[in-house]
Amino acid sequence: MSRPLIMVAPNGARRGKADHTALPVTTAEIVETAAACHAAGAHALHLHVRDAEGAHSLDAGRYRETLAELGLRIPDMKLQITTEAAGRFTVPEQLACLRQVRPAWASISVREIAREPALAADVYATCADNGTQVQHILYEVADIQQLIDWRARGVVRPDQESVLFVLGRYREGQVSSPADLAPLREALPGIGQWMVCAFGPREHECLVDAASQGGDVRVGFENSLSGANGQPHADNAASVGTLVRSLLDQPPHAQDTFAERKPS
């Protein structure tokens, strides 16, 4: 199987120290976690920043500060910001974040932008104008249908094709399965750049299966705190390292390596 690009999502918008003491919240903690995960085999970071109280934030200043610190400490790691609303932010606030931060790479939830369909064209045009690579976040087939419609109408640009298929949700007892990916891939055939994340203790199993199909993978405490045995990972880097070993146990094609790849 081909070797995927590995992204780590170390905190997300909803979890905190009460969920796991090693979950990073401050800028310093995020930078240290990112460095450890990069050393363990992660090629990219999905970045959430937090405010002074530890809550999810889209503050442009905090993003710029954290991106600068990460760039100095880990210059070879690819950096993606989130624009996730998480029930806190409006589409205009998400758009303002993109305009002010001008990131190289951003994740954008299709269902969140669809709350204000009149602004969708501005969101994707802003990314195109600023050279921001887009990764569309897709939770279910309805999100894919919305994305296909936006593409057909020119709202989404032809080169804005990269997607993240999300398996599962923040739910008590959530256990995602590799089988959850099939309907999403069937609804969006022929996609060139795709990645998978999965909630629950079968996270790594889902990611190894996705990689076997040619997808990239996102791992970390945003989606799962523990392994298949139910034991919490010591930290994000431990989860990354375990996933890397699982991927290396799979038979690769002779020409495939963990070499530098274009972000998905």
Side-chain angles (χ1 to χ4, degrees):
M1 87 182 190
S2 62
R3 300 304 189 197
L5 182 140
I6 300 171
M7 172 183 282
V8 62
N11 52 8
R14 296 168 175 83
R15 287 178 168 149
K17 297 292 187 182
D19 298 293
H20 197 300
T21 56
L23 189 143
V25 174
T26 67
T27 296
E29 290 172 343
I30 291 169
V31 172
E32 289 301 320
T33 295
C37 289
H38 187 253
H43 309 102
L45 173 73
H46 175 69
L47 176 62
H48 286 254
V49 294
R50 304 294 183 90
D51 64 20
E53 285 71 47
H56 173 57
S57 176
L58 295 183
D59 182 79
R62 287 183 181 274
Y63 261 139
R64 287 193 291 264
E65 175 189 359
T66 308
L67 288 168
E69 292 293 328
L70 288 163
L72 287 172
R73 178 72 179 275
I74 326 155
D76 294 333
M77 194 173 205
K78 299 173 176 66
L79 305 176
Q80 177 195 79
I81 74 161
T82 185
T83 60
E84 184 177 356
R88 289 174 56 88
F89 299 104
T90 65
V91 177
E93 288 171 318
Q94 292 170 293
L95 178 55
C97 175
L98 287 166
R99 285 175 170 163
Q100 294 166 22
V101 179
R102 300 172 65 93
W105 194 8
S107 67
I108 296 175
S109 169
V110 166
R111 64 168 52 182
E112 289 183 350
I113 301 306
R115 294 176 298 162
E116 296 262 7
L119 290 179
D122 289 339
V123 168
Y124 292 109
T126 294
C127 290
D129 292 345
N130 291 344
T132 298
Q133 182 180 350
V134 172
Q135 185 181 61
H136 308 281
I137 309 301
L138 306 170
Y139 292 90
E140 56 191 17
V141 171
D143 299 337
I144 294 172
Q145 293 169 339
Q146 178 67 79
L147 177 60
I148 291 171
D149 175 67
W150 281 344
R151 284 178 173 171
R153 294 193 287 115
V155 172
V156 170
R157 311 301 173 88
D159 62 344
Q160 294 172 335
E161 71 162 2
S162 174
V163 304
L164 175 77
F165 296 122
V166 181
L167 309 186
R169 304 286 188 279
Y170 282 105
R171 291 184 184 138
E172 188 70 26
Q174 171 70 45
V175 180
S176 299
S177 163
D180 297 339
L181 178 59
L184 300 176
R185 290 209 66 203
E186 289 167 4
L188 197 61
I191 186 69
Q193 295 183 358
W194 60 280
M195 182 180 284
V196 169
C197 70
F199 284 87
R202 296 180 70 186
E203 175 193 35
H204 287 190
E205 181 184 351
C206 293
L207 301 184
V208 170
D209 178 74
S212 75
Q213 299 180 47
D216 293 323
V217 297
R218 196 183 89 179
V219 63
F221 282 5
E222 175 168 355
N223 299 110
S224 182
L225 301 172
S226 63
N229 61 2
Q231 293 299 310
H233 299 294
D235 51 29
N236 277 281
S239 180
V240 170
T242 299
L243 176 64
V244 168
R245 289 189 291 274
S246 295
L247 291 167
L248 288 171
D249 285 342
Q250 307 303 310
H253 298 300
Q255 72 273 21
D256 291 326
T257 68
F258 274 109
E260 177 113 355
R261 295 183 49 185
K262 179 181 178 182
S264 293

